[in-house]
Amino acid sequence: MTPLLKTLARSLQQFSLAGGLLLSALLLLSSCHSSRRLERKAHKELRQLMTESEVFAQGFTGLALYDPQQQKWLYQQNSDKYFTPASNTKILTLYTALELLGDRLPALRYSHLGDTLLFWGTGDPTLWHPQLPADSTVEQLLKNHPGPLYYSASNVQEAHFGPGWAWDDYYFAFQTERSAMPLYSNRVRFVWEAGQKEPRVEPPYFAKHLKYEERGEERVRVWRHLDRNAFTWVGRPEGGEVRRGLPFRYSDSLLVRLLGERLEREVGLWEKPIDSSWVKKTLYSLPVDTVYRRVMHQSDNFLAEQVLMMCSEALFDTIDVSRLIDTVQNQRMPGLPDRLRWVDGSGLSRYNLFTPRAIVHVLDLLRQKHSQERLFDLFAAGGQSGTIRKWYAGPEGPIVYAKTGTMSNKHCLSGYLIGRSGRVLIFSFMHNNYPKYSRPYKEEMQGILLKIHAWY
């Protein structure tokens, strides 16, 4: 090839490359412009849906929608206003636990003092819990120790009820008392087998504290005295098995009695403080996600409270939830846009106040620190599991992985939403102060979340 032809060929190649780059740039610019136009259209339609909703007009509603990949807010309405979050509080409990606890739950702390085994609780709720896998680690240690056993409660700085809990919910299972060393999930279970007139009581200790009253009622009901473990039941079971469960009134003396009954040996109460110079050992029980999953799927208040107690004990060697919450908020939640009013682990308290954008921020921190696979396993899946198994199903499978929060006149839903393109968005929907029921709010949110999925 002559020098002239070589020069011409090089010129054509450079022109072609420049043209290709120019075309790519134009296509990228066009795509960005089209994407912005689509987002503006989606934002306008979403605002219209939110502001014209007759359902949302009955109360006070907030929504924060965020794209973590672009670090961009897609929509905000009252996102800086405070709402009672109910069980959306468990999102913060999960975040705290993933920050502070390892792969397995710390089940028990103990020291050997000569031939005496002195032990104290960490808050682990799994010992003889009927809905969790059995783990005999603690039972075997206590049962097989040849010398005296003593339990200490000197590491506990918490009341059995959380701040702002409703006093008249004391006998409902959703407001079970907290403790450093729960047994049997701190509840009594009454089981009437088919054809049996008298119930089986679990644990058996409480059988002597149960009485029957004839009131002419057909439905079996059980209740407990306000401040003591005196149980009454009415009604007669008809047909199949009947189960009822109530929290028992906790005390340290009751704990050692229940332990002694189960272990078939005497357990004493240690009245002195735990000496910081003693050699302390730790036993571990179940994998942490066994409990976290139940907290997030079934919205188990008792487990959530105990998880936060375990976090406090792990960080301070003392169960002091208010101190833990201050420490986590000040030191473990960088960039939090609003100060949280946060007082418990479950969300039972109406003292809790969060903003939608603060919840989104915590969800984004979770996304940055943990795999999507693990988070989507821990959160309930729309149309498939947990408290949203009947709601928020996608066209071809789950598109919402979220935590609900419900109490009288309040309903919230916060979590992750997968767009049609595969983009993972973060949202927090919060509703307070509506006069009736949550179902219309769920129906309205379901329609809006499906539209957001389609837009993105």
Side-chain angles (χ1 to χ4, degrees):
M1 182 180 293
T2 65
L4 180 61
L5 288 176
K6 289 181 180 179
T7 301
L8 182 59
R10 281 197 298 269
S11 299
L12 287 172
Q13 285 178 340
Q14 291 170 357
F15 178 79
S16 177
L17 178 61
L21 291 173
L22 178 60
L23 180 60
S24 297
L26 289 173
L27 288 173
L28 179 61
L29 185 63
S30 175
S31 174
C32 291
H33 181 70
S34 176
S35 177
R36 285 196 296 270
R37 187 169 62 247
L38 178 63
E39 287 187 5
R40 285 196 298 269
K41 183 175 184 293
H43 186 279
K44 181 180 178 181
E45 291 189 25
L46 181 53
R47 178 170 294 281
Q48 186 175 1
L49 287 170
M50 294 288 294
T51 56
E52 295 180 3
S53 168
E54 294 181 3
V55 174
F56 294 167
Q58 298 175 42
F60 181 50
T61 289
L63 172 61
L65 180 65
Y66 182 70
D67 183 340
Q69 282 78 31
Q70 297 185 19
Q71 299 182 15
K72 176 181 178 182
W73 291 103
L74 301 176
Y75 185 84
Q76 295 187 79
Q77 180 174 315
N78 293 326
S79 73
D80 60 342
K81 302 298 189 292
Y82 283 87
F83 293 77
T84 301
S87 284
N88 269 200
T89 305
K90 294 181 176 73
I91 295 170
L92 277 68
T93 299
L94 176 67
Y95 176 85
T96 303
L98 291 173
E99 284 285 292
L100 297 175
L101 300 181
D103 295 333
R104 302 187 78 84
L105 300 173
L108 195 74
R109 311 278 192 210
Y110 65 98
S111 287
H112 289 281
L113 307 178
D115 64 346
T116 295
L117 181 69
L118 175 65
F119 62 96
W120 56 98
T122 62
D124 179 12
T126 64
L127 189 58
W128 308 323
H129 191 299
Q131 277 88 43
L132 293 173
D135 184 279
S136 63
T137 308
V138 171
E139 183 171 358
Q140 291 305 312
L141 172 74
L142 300 180
K143 200 166 190 175
N144 296 333
H145 179 71
L149 295 176
Y150 279 89
Y151 170 76
S152 171
S154 62
N155 66 326
V156 184
Q157 305 294 324
E158 284 298 323
H160 299 140
F161 290 117
W165 289 12
W167 74 267
D168 55 344
D169 286 338
Y170 72 91
Y171 66 90
F172 289 111
F174 63 76
Q175 193 165 289
T176 299
E177 294 187 31
R178 310 180 295 185
S179 68
M181 189 175 177
L183 306 177
Y184 306 100
S185 72
N186 283 358
R187 295 175 199 152
V188 190
R189 285 162 182 81
F190 305 96
V191 183
W192 287 263
E193 305 286 356
Q196 297 296 315
K197 293 183 178 180
E198 299 292 325
R200 183 178 75 254
V201 182
E202 303 168 349
Y205 170 85
F206 292 100
K208 59 180 177 280
H209 299 285
L210 174 68
K211 68 176 183 178
Y212 173 74
E213 286 188 4
E214 180 59 64
R215 295 191 180 183
E217 297 188 32
E218 295 182 2
R219 181 174 178 268
V220 174
R221 294 190 299 117
V222 187
W223 65 90
R224 198 201 81 208
H225 194 277
L226 172 62
D227 57 7
R228 66 180 187 273
N229 288 312
F231 299 88
T232 303
W233 65 283
V234 299
R236 290 294 185 185
E238 299 290 341
E241 183 182 84
V242 175
R243 290 178 172 266
R244 298 288 184 267
L246 281 77
F248 56 71
R249 187 78 179 90
Y250 178 86
S251 68
D252 296 331
S253 58
L254 174 62
L255 168 67
V256 296
R257 283 198 295 272
L258 292 176
L259 275 172
E261 181 184 78
R262 177 71 177 240
L263 300 172
E264 299 180 330
R265 60 178 301 180
E266 186 177 352
V267 180
L269 267 178
W270 187 270
E271 304 291 350
K272 302 174 185 178
I274 299 169
D275 194 314
S276 60
S277 67
W278 294 341
V279 176
K280 304 176 182 68
K281 298 180 181 179
T282 304
L283 279 183
Y284 292 88
S285 61
L286 298 175
V288 291
D289 285 4
T290 307
V291 169
Y292 299 166
R293 193 177 298 108
R294 185 172 177 85
V295 167
M296 301 301 286
H297 283 220
Q298 276 73 46
S299 201
D300 191 307
N301 292 329
F302 171 67
L303 292 184
E305 293 297 335
Q306 296 299 140
V307 165
L308 218 53
M309 293 176 83
M310 282 190 286
C311 291
S312 174
E313 206 280 336
L315 194 59
F316 307 126
D317 292 328
T318 302
I319 296 178
D320 185 342
V321 170
S322 59
R323 180 185 174 193
L324 169 75
I325 286 172
D326 284 342
T327 300
V328 170
Q329 189 170 183
N330 292 330
Q331 301 178 14
R332 301 272 185 161
M333 292 181 171
L336 198 64
D338 304 294
R339 182 75 184 175
L340 303 168
R341 177 77 164 97
W342 176 20
V343 302
D344 68 8
S346 63
L348 277 169
S349 178
R350 292 176 185 262
Y351 294 168
N352 291 311
L353 289 171
F354 304 163
T355 64
R357 68 184 185 183
I359 295 179
V360 165
H361 183 78
V362 175
L363 288 164
D364 192 29
L365 289 175
L366 280 168
R367 182 197 64 84
Q368 294 174 37
K369 296 183 176 197
H370 305 282
S371 71
Q372 180 173 293
E373 180 182 11
R374 186 181 189 188
L375 290 178
F376 284 9
D377 176 61
L378 293 176
F379 280 79
Q384 186 175 92
S385 62
T387 56
I388 57 173
R389 65 188 180 281
K390 296 181 180 179
W391 295 94
Y392 317 114
E396 299 176 356
I399 58 169
V400 171
Y401 295 85
K403 181 73 199 74
T404 54
T406 306
M407 56 171 54
S408 299
N409 317 112
K410 293 159 180 46
H411 184 73
C412 305
L413 181 74
S414 302
Y416 305 96
L417 171 65
I418 302 175
R420 187 174 59 178
S421 68
R423 291 166 68 179
V424 177
L425 309 178
I426 305 175
F427 73 94
S428 179
F429 240 134
M430 307 189 79
H431 310 283
N432 279 193
N433 303 336
Y434 54 83
K436 293 184 179 180
Y437 308 108
S438 63
R439 186 178 182 87
Y441 281 80
K442 294 175 184 177
E443 292 172 345
E444 200 85 340
M445 285 194 296
Q446 182 166 261
I448 288 174
L449 290 172
L450 284 170
K451 285 184 179 294
I452 294 173
H453 162 77
W455 291 332
Y456 295 96

